[in-house]
């Protein structure tokens, strides 16, 4: 007796690039493909939790309304907390979406991936407090402080499983669609942008007290761009996660892999959500025939 396969979605890490997951989910819905289980790392955990709680519309509205000024208001700088920001507003925003406070009470099966700071082990969070689990998974090292949960200090899940195909399979998926927001279309991790006049965007989002520390000069004239703190941090994270992702997916390849093609979107430009969502929709449209064949055929 034939039946439709159980579909799992593995949503990868990527900071602001991870808003593409919203577009992917929209594109899949257009094709008539609805995941049965979802596993997410970092931003993939945030979007995945919203979907699992049937609150994706509310999240998308919040993302599209985010401006550079509103982004600044989310920055709760506290250098002694283990990162530049504590990012408490992530939990506050999730609560505002009216998600179920516990993962096991969400409408659909969901797992968030985090990393144990003490042991370096991958941690799967499929029960317990929803908001704390998502915040733990989305803890970009060097930017966001780690989170204590059940006696463990947890870091970003991208450090151990950037695109959690293994978790989606363990949740019972027959077919896994993997979404990688950090794909590099031209094989380059970082390249200097064109010189620009005016105040650099970092100077608009960070307190003046941090400008000298991070090498930001709001008054500097246009000149050849040299890497600043966030350029170095983003490139380092991209190198690390790309290496880990390649190794993990070589041993556990998905049935469908959707790779983003961002060229200049950094992990912290969360106010560029509309661009990222559009890229997610493009990713699905580009492989629509393959997705239908794999996900909608009888097994």
């Amino acid at each position: 007796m034939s039946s439709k396969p159980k579909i799992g979605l593995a949503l990868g890490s990527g900071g602001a690039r991870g808003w593409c997951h919203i577009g992917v989910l929209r594109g899949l819905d257009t094709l008539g493909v609805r995941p049965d289980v979802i596993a997410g790392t970092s931003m993939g955990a945030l979007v995945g939790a919203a979907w699992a709680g049937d609150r994706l519309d509310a999240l998308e509205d919040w993302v599209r309304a985010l401006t550079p000024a509103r982004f600044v208001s989310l920055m709760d700088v506290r250098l002694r907390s283990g990162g530049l920001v504590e990012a408490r507003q992530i939990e506050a925003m999730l609560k505002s979406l009216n998600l179920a406070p516990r993962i096991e009470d969400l409408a659909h099966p969901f797992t968030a991936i985090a990393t144990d700071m003490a042991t370096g082990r991958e941690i799967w969070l499929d029960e317990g407090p929803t908001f704390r689990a998502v915040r733990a998974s989305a803890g970009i090292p060097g930017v966001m402080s780690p989170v204590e949960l059940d006696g463990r200090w947890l870091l970003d899940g991208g450090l151990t499983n950037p695109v959690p195909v293994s978790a989606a399979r363990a949740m019972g998926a027959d077919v896994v669609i993997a979404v990688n927001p950090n794909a590099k279309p031209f094989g380059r991790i970082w390249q200097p942008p064109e010189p620009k006049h005016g105040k650099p965007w970092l100077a608009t989002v960070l307190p003046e007290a941090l400008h000298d520390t991070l090498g930001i000069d709001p008054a500097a004239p246009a000149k050849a761009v040299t890497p600043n703190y966030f350029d170095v941090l983003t490139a380092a994270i991209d190198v690390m996660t790309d290496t880990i992702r390649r190794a993990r997916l070589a041993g556990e390849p998905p049935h469908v892999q959707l790779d983003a093609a961002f060229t200049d979107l950094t992990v912290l430009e969360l106010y560029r959500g509309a661009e990222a969502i559009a890229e997610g929709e493009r990713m699905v449209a580009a492989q629509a025939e393959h997705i239908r064949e794999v996900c909608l055929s009888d097994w």
Side-chain angles (χ1 to χ4, degrees), residues 1-4 297-299:
M1 181 177 178
S2 63
S3 62
K4 292 293 188 293
S297 299
D298 289 335
W299 276 45

Side-chain angles (χ1 to χ4, degrees), residues 250-264:
E252 46 198 15
H255 298 80
V256 178
Q257 182 166 328
L258 302 177
D259 291 324
F262 297 115
T263 57
D264 68 345

Side-chain angles (χ1 to χ4, degrees), residues 8-13 20-21 23-28 31 33 163 165 176-184 245 249 254-262 279-292 295:
L9 195 57
L11 302 181
S13 60
C20 75
H21 297 314
V24 166
L25 284 160
R26 297 303 189 199
L28 292 176
L31 296 180
V33 175
V163 184
V165 172
V176 177
I177 302 172
V179 185
N180 175 25
N182 291 322
K184 305 302 176 186
R245 177 189 59 81
L249 295 188
H255 298 80
V256 178
Q257 182 166 328
L258 302 177
D259 291 324
F262 297 115
E279 173 61 12
E281 293 172 335
R282 182 206 65 79
M283 292 155 64
V284 172
Q287 293 199 49
E289 184 175 349
H290 179 48
I291 293 170
R292 287 194 189 97
C295 297

